[in-house]
Amino acid sequence: AIRAMGRGHIVSHNTLYNGGRSLIVNRYLKAGRIEYNHIYNPGLLTTDLGATYCFATDGEGTVIAYNWVHDNHAHCGIGIYIDNDSPNHIVHHNVSWHNENSGIRINTPCRNSRFYNNTCFSNGNSFDYWGKDNNMTGTRVINNIGFKGKVRFCPEAAVENNCFDQDPRLADPDNLVFTLLPDSPCIDAGAVIPGLTDGFKGKAPDIGAYESGGEKWVPGHDWGDPPDVRY
């Protein structure tokens, strides 16, 4: 649906669905933003892809944030796919579910990338990688939910303050409500990440894509309320 190549492009507030292969290809996108998109039903014709996908791409700080990504039908169907040799991406506050393979996949080498406050549930696996070990130097994985799906990272990735081994108590995911119930173990259990968890409620940031008492953001297009994307 969208292929973004070049520098500084913004792909924002789109509803993208029913793709034979990926719905956003951000290969060779540098210092860009992919945000507030609702992306679903890719992989209708091919077998190995991400709903968003890049390969051999130094993102130079490309941000993938505030997206809903779900129902990749491919055999190796992934939500957000950072394929081999794609350093320097920042992936935060996304919700990824019902993908046949990984909610988020980080193939090695993947150096100096950041994965913060994402919610992955009911995927084939929550977070996974393929490639040689010892190739995630500088990569940080903090404040993420991974539920109903295994989690794997290379040993040198910094993996902290995540909820990978218990029910995060999402409010009503069947009806696209991914906030936390009051008894969630993720509330006040996260780490402070300057610039991304500012304004958190309570004693500490929450784990996952939605802060309790914070903005209940909804991605995708809205003809009645067009976004302001003048960054």
Side-chain angles (χ1 to χ4, degrees):
I2 295 174
R3 180 161 187 169
M5 303 172 65
R7 179 175 297 276
H9 301 312
I10 299 171
V11 181
S12 183
H13 291 86
N14 301 286
T15 300
L16 308 169
Y17 61 96
N18 293 353
R21 193 165 169 80
S22 300
L23 285 163
I24 296 179
V25 175
N26 50 299
R27 190 175 184 186
Y28 309 133
L29 174 63
K30 298 178 182 296
R33 300 186 68 90
I34 297 171
E35 60 183 15
Y36 293 105
N37 300 289
H38 188 183
I39 309 166
Y40 61 97
N41 286 350
L44 297 177
L45 293 176
T46 48
T47 61
D48 182 355
L49 61 131
T52 76
Y53 180 79
C54 68
F55 170 73
T57 297
D58 186 338
E60 295 186 13
T62 287
V63 173
I64 302 174
Y66 302 109
N67 302 288
W68 288 353
V69 186
H70 60 99
D71 292 282
N72 189 332
H73 298 281
H75 173 69
C76 187
I78 294 156
I80 296 171
Y81 197 165
I82 308 297
D83 207 348
N84 305 96
D85 198 22
S86 296
N88 300 312
H89 286 83
I90 303 169
V91 180
H92 70 87
H93 291 92
N94 301 282
V95 185
S96 184
W97 75 97
H98 290 174
N99 297 293
E100 287 292 325
N101 197 270
S102 304
I104 297 176
R105 178 176 282 268
I106 313 157
N107 284 354
T108 63
C110 183
R111 299 181 178 88
N112 301 318
S113 286
R114 307 288 190 262
F115 300 86
Y116 299 141
N117 286 91
N118 299 287
T119 295
C120 296
F121 69 94
S122 297
N123 299 287
N125 49 71
S126 294
F127 293 82
D128 204 357
Y129 74 95
W130 179 90
K132 295 181 179 179
D133 287 339
N134 302 316
N135 280 288
M136 283 191 185
T137 304
T139 288
R140 306 184 73 194
V141 182
I142 301 174
N143 293 352
N144 298 281
I145 290 172
F147 182 56
K148 293 185 178 179
K150 70 179 181 179
V151 174
R152 292 197 317 148
F153 301 100
C154 287
E156 70 272 81
V159 182
E160 306 167 2
N161 290 88
N162 299 289
C163 182
F164 291 155
D165 57 358
Q166 56 185 320
D167 187 342
R169 304 284 290 144
L170 301 179
D172 190 3
D174 289 341
N175 289 301
L176 305 181
V177 181
F178 306 113
T179 52
L180 302 170
L181 292 173
D183 61 347
S184 170
C186 299
I187 293 176
D188 293 350
V192 172
I193 302 170
L196 292 183
T197 60
D198 298 351
F200 64 84
K201 314 298 181 181
K203 298 178 181 178
D206 295 346
I207 293 173
Y210 287 86
E211 175 77 14
S212 296
E215 181 187 2
K216 296 180 175 63
W217 53 270
V218 176
H221 83 287
D222 183 350
W223 301 130
D225 186 19
D228 183 349
V229 293
R230 294 173 296 175
Y231 297 120

